[in-house]
Amino acid sequence: MLVTVEGEKAIAIRGDPDHPNTAGVLCTKVSRYLERTYHPERLLHPMRRTGPKGSGQFERISWDQALTTIADRLQAEAARDPRAILPYSYAGTMGVVQGESMATRFFNRIGASKLDRTICASAGSVGYRYTIGAKIGTDTEQFENAKLIVIWGGNPVASNLHFWMRAQEAKRRGAVLVAIDPHRSLTAEKCQHHIALLPGTDSALALGMMHVLIRDDLLDHDYIARYTLGFEQLKQRAAEWHPDRVAQVCGIPVDQVELLAQLYGKTAQQGEPVAIRLNYGVQRCHGGGMAVRNVTCLPALVGAWRHAAGGVLLSSGDSFPKQQALLERPDIMPVDPARPARTINMSTIGDDLLRPGSEAFGPQISTVIVYNANPVAVAPQSAKVAEGFAREDLFTVVLEHFKTDTADYADILLPATTQLEHVDVHATYGHLYIVANNAAIAPLGESKPNSEIFRLLAARMGYTDPCFADTDDDLAAQAFDPNSDTAPGYDWSRVKQAGWIKLTMPPAPFAQGGFPTPSGKCEFYSETMQHDGLDPLPAYIPPYESAASAPDLAAEYPLAMISPPQRNFLNTSFVNVKSLRDTEGEPHLEIHPIDAGVRGIHHGDLVRAFNQRGAMQFKARVTDAARQGLVVAPSIWWKKLAPDQKNANELTNQRLTDMGRAPTFYDVLVNVEKANTAAASPD
């Protein structure tokens, strides 16, 4: 993006028309980034809590006071057991430098607990890697040349505008677009076909496609023979998944199973590119990793990888030769056999903050430093998360731009820089460009980049390791391997000047096999999965919360619930930008007319969605965009900005996926009733 600066102030922001992927266009959210940067409630000074935890009451202090307070606490904790200290972070402004570089060096040097950063995409990443070896896929820029695009588990109109531009161009050229999504999203409305399956049943649909492709011989036998492993075993497994069975499991008409498989197989047999844009909604259920694995098998069956515009894309992240060890420096972590390293899963933080110390668990978490994250709003089962952060004996530091739901629980609140105020370099997961983030303006107020805050803390702790002297430009220079095949000769100074460079990738990465799996082939049968205690073949793993898995629970809470992203929010970023929040209105719940009718619910009614974990109030939107048996709660609202001070994560759970230890945000059963007849919320 291009930022226009007048004097010392940024006055305009726009997409860069010269960037091939962005093509001069910004999404609705980012186009309002100046409103976020210059927001009147922006944090500009260090703060210390003065009221009860969660009250959001603070007083201004100096950086010297803040750093001294934090360092004194960390030194005392480290002397007792450094594993009681926990970093909590995720993507933030999405860069390598302001993410896990200087910060991770700092926590490694202390010997703090590690954080298992799984909250977004780790289930699918594991399933994808088991199958084709790495997160490598179809170049986004090639999708416009496909003749069939299956958009599986995503809503790019709202969340991936630049891919959607390519998909629209393909459609103008005669391509067929298919959306697979329980919800008739903005994207699904614009596709020729929409398959509204039940949440968590995607793996069954993929197995049904395999059954039809094999039954009707819509296969590329040469590609299968040369470049795949385990076809005969897969054939036996797929034979179990007759379209009638698939239709029953997925809750869709059987002719949709047949249609999808026929479209996919016949288009490929005609020598045309068929492409799947697989996204993160698929993997947020119990069997989410297996679902991604199953879908990722499909291109090899029909030889879709032969074409630059064929194949599948979940993420291009492994195309980037990131030098993670150089950035994070795990070698400086102290080794103490009496205190083995501990890892806390970020998706179970609610339970873990409330867990006492024990021999099995290790010390109770006593200090949390939060940056690039807002767990009180984002982590599942948020009532427990808030309860954990409310512990009076828990010392919490938050690096933030605003007083978020999590910031309200901080003991020390530190002002961080926004995208426009710091240096960074970005790998990406939706295209193939390394992107420079050059600071457009000086930090506002007393805000500092994350990297600088952790440098200052390291100095206060007395750490003199040379790595803590690295500047942000030094870190950006270390980010990628200049000896790699994909970024040969990587030179930060050149990238910083040019703005971006595209990776050197073959146009069709697996046209002649060469998969980065143990066998070098697309693995329908995976010995690695068997070694890891998983089914080595594609399988169906039902949701935790479904009539099949938990009939008694389903009888009490008969509606599945998903909470996909609001168009104008990015997780909880941008929720406090008034122009965007005004567009969204207030939290709403989409419910099918039949489900609404049996509950006496009308459009616009205040309703209460509830389950065994909690409850939240919404305005009802009665619409067949939500399939029968499903309610849709677009998210993620700041709790403090919702009328009842809650968001959809009151209802989600902390159970993890089949692989990748990821959250199951879309594996949720609820019931719904009119709010004026509601009983008290369950404990």
Side-chain angles (χ1 to χ4, degrees):
M1 57 191 184
L2 300 179
V3 182
T4 302
V5 179
E6 189 174 276
E8 296 182 353
K9 186 173 182 180
I11 61 168
I13 187 169
R14 60 189 176 95
D16 186 345
D18 294 330
H19 186 261
N21 196 68
T22 307
V25 178
L26 296 178
C27 69
T28 303
K29 299 175 281 285
V30 176
S31 66
R32 310 286 178 87
Y33 204 85
L34 294 186
E35 293 182 50
R36 192 171 194 276
T37 299
Y38 293 109
H39 196 290
E41 296 174 0
R42 175 83 187 272
L43 286 172
L44 298 176
H45 310 284
M47 309 284 279
R48 176 170 53 207
R49 179 171 61 88
T50 58
K53 289 201 171 189
S55 68
Q57 297 174 25
F58 296 92
E59 65 179 3
R60 180 176 171 179
I61 58 174
S62 68
W63 269 105
D64 183 68
Q65 289 173 296
L67 294 168
T68 298
T69 301
I70 298 166
D72 287 350
R73 173 70 181 227
L74 292 177
Q75 285 174 325
E77 292 289 354
R80 286 189 289 269
D81 191 330
R83 298 175 301 168
I85 301 165
L86 177 70
Y88 194 101
S89 66
Y90 199 67
T93 52
M94 309 292 286
V96 171
V97 174
Q98 304 307 331
E100 302 312 318
S101 58
M102 192 60 67
T104 307
R105 292 178 182 186
F106 177 72
F107 290 111
N108 280 338
R109 180 65 177 80
I110 291 175
S113 285
K114 296 181 178 296
L115 185 71
D116 201 7
R117 294 177 172 85
T118 64
I119 206 159
C120 186
S122 63
S125 296
V126 172
Y128 200 83
R129 287 180 177 129
Y130 277 137
T131 309
I132 66 171
K135 289 189 296 182
I136 298 171
T138 310
D139 185 344
T140 300
E141 293 174 54
Q142 290 290 339
F143 272 85
E144 64 187 37
N145 300 315
K147 290 302 178 185
L148 173 71
I149 300 176
V150 181
I151 300 170
W152 203 318
N155 181 16
V157 170
S159 61
N160 194 347
L161 180 63
H162 301 112
F163 165 76
W164 181 244
M165 291 161 59
R166 304 284 179 178
Q168 284 183 303
E169 177 59 27
K171 188 178 179 184
R172 284 190 288 268
R173 297 179 183 182
V176 174
L177 272 55
V178 181
I180 301 175
D181 191 326
H183 177 227
R184 194 175 71 238
S185 65
L186 293 170
T187 300
E189 288 180 348
K190 293 173 173 59
C191 294
Q192 290 99 322
H193 301 282
H194 173 215
I195 298 176
L197 75 180
L198 288 166
T201 63
D202 304 86
S203 53
L205 180 56
L207 284 162
M209 289 181 67
M210 295 177 199
H211 179 102
V212 175
L213 293 171
I214 295 169
R215 181 198 70 193
D216 295 353
D217 197 24
L218 300 172
L219 303 170
D220 185 329
H221 291 284
D222 178 69
Y223 194 92
I224 291 169
R226 289 172 180 265
Y227 307 129
T228 73
L229 181 69
F231 175 71
E232 290 303 319
Q233 296 100 313
L234 177 68
K235 186 176 179 179
Q236 293 178 28
R237 176 61 57 84
E240 303 169 10
W241 286 91
H242 190 277
D244 287 335
R245 179 186 180 190
V246 174
Q248 184 176 8
V249 169
C250 297
I252 58 177
V254 68
D255 61 2
Q256 289 193 339
V257 183
E258 295 278 0
L259 170 70
L260 179 61
Q262 295 287 340
L263 269 174
Y264 190 72
K266 289 183 176 179
T267 306
Q269 279 207 335
Q270 292 164 5
E272 301 284 7
V274 294
I276 299 171
R277 182 58 169 105
L278 182 57
N279 222 300
Y280 297 158
V282 171
Q283 60 189 285
R284 291 179 174 151
C285 296
H286 179 197
M290 186 65 80
V292 169
R293 165 163 165 71
N294 292 5
V295 175
T296 307
C297 288
L298 294 170
L301 286 173
V302 300
W305 289 115
R306 294 185 187 276
H307 302 277
V312 61
L313 176 64
L314 172 72
S315 167
S316 56
D318 288 344
S319 304
F320 293 80
K322 187 175 175 183
Q323 299 193 116
Q324 192 161 338
L326 186 59
L327 287 165
E328 299 182 0
R329 298 296 305 273
D331 57 298
I332 65 174
M333 189 168 186
V335 177
D336 184 349
R339 295 171 176 171
R342 176 173 74 174
T343 300
I344 300 294
N345 190 298
M346 68 186 305
S347 300
T348 60
I349 189 65
D351 282 342
D352 290 332
L353 284 177
L354 297 171
R355 199 184 304 276
S358 68
E359 185 174 348
F361 180 65
Q364 185 179 37
I365 298 168
S366 62
T367 298
V368 180
I369 299 185
V370 180
Y371 55 102
N372 295 342
N374 183 10
V376 172
V378 172
Q381 205 169 349
S382 61
K384 275 198 170 183
V385 181
E387 184 183 353
F389 274 99
R391 279 175 39 204
E392 283 298 328
D393 62 332
L394 180 72
F395 181 71
T396 301
V397 179
V398 176
L399 285 61
E400 253 299 352
H401 306 139
F402 302 102
K403 290 183 183 177
T404 62
D405 291 331
T406 304
D408 284 347
Y409 289 85
D411 294 284
I412 300 292
L413 189 52
L414 301 177
T417 48
T418 67
Q419 199 94 26
L420 305 189
E421 303 160 75
H422 58 231
V423 170
D424 215 327
V425 63
H426 295 251
T428 57
Y429 49 89
H431 59 75
L432 295 173
Y433 292 85
I434 294 174
V435 181
N437 187 133
N438 296 317
I441 57 174
L444 300 189
E446 294 184 275
S447 61
K448 297 181 185 295
N450 290 347
S451 52
E452 179 63 13
I453 292 171
F454 286 108
R455 279 190 205 94
L456 292 170
L457 283 171
R460 288 297 173 108
M461 297 282 286
Y463 299 152
T464 58
D465 311 63
C467 67
F468 292 113
D470 283 346
T471 66
D472 287 357
D473 283 310
D474 293 334
L475 293 168
Q478 297 165 21
F480 302 104
D481 182 1
N483 298 312
S484 67
D485 292 334
T486 58
Y490 169 74
D491 179 346
W492 166 239
S493 62
R494 182 167 64 90
V495 177
K496 188 174 184 179
Q497 180 65 35
W500 69 82
I501 58 168
K502 189 171 186 179
L503 297 182
T504 304
M505 294 286 292
F510 306 127
Q512 296 180 334
F515 293 91
T517 57
S519 66
K521 299 181 177 184
C522 176
E523 296 195 353
F524 301 142
Y525 183 94
S526 169
E527 290 186 1
T528 307
M529 292 184 72
Q530 187 174 45
H531 179 269
D532 292 343
L534 299 167
D535 192 326
L537 286 167
Y540 171 61
I541 300 171
Y544 289 116
E545 299 194 1
S546 66
S549 303
D552 292 343
L553 186 71
E556 189 171 359
Y557 306 111
L559 299 172
M561 186 191 85
I562 60 174
S563 47
Q566 293 271 23
R567 183 174 189 176
N568 292 290
F569 303 159
L570 177 59
N571 298 319
T572 62
S573 295
F574 300 100
V575 181
N576 66 323
V577 175
K578 188 176 185 302
S579 64
L580 295 173
R581 192 170 71 254
D582 287 349
T583 302
E584 295 294 348
E586 60 183 304
H588 68 266
L589 188 76
E590 295 186 22
I591 184 169
H592 191 275
I594 293 176
D595 294 324
V598 298
R599 292 166 174 79
I601 293 170
H602 299 91
H603 192 82
D605 282 349
L606 188 64
V607 298
R608 173 180 176 265
F610 61 96
N611 61 18
Q612 71 275 31
R613 291 177 289 272
M616 183 188 171
Q617 290 187 351
F618 301 86
K619 277 290 182 70
R621 291 189 183 176
V622 180
T623 171
D624 62 2
R627 59 157 290 154
Q628 191 176 354
L630 173 78
V631 292
V632 181
S635 291
I636 305 170
W637 284 80
W638 287 16
K639 295 167 70 171
K640 66 165 73 177
L641 296 178
D644 64 349
Q645 309 286 289
K646 297 178 180 179
N647 70 18
N649 280 321
E650 295 290 320
L651 304 164
T652 55
N653 66 77
Q654 296 181 75
R655 299 180 82 166
L656 302 179
T657 50
D658 54 335
M659 57 187 82
R661 308 167 307 283
T664 54
F665 286 118
Y666 297 173
D667 196 331
V668 177
L669 289 177
V670 302
N671 209 339
V672 179
E673 62 188 2
K674 293 181 71 169
N676 58 6
T677 63
S681 298
D683 293 333

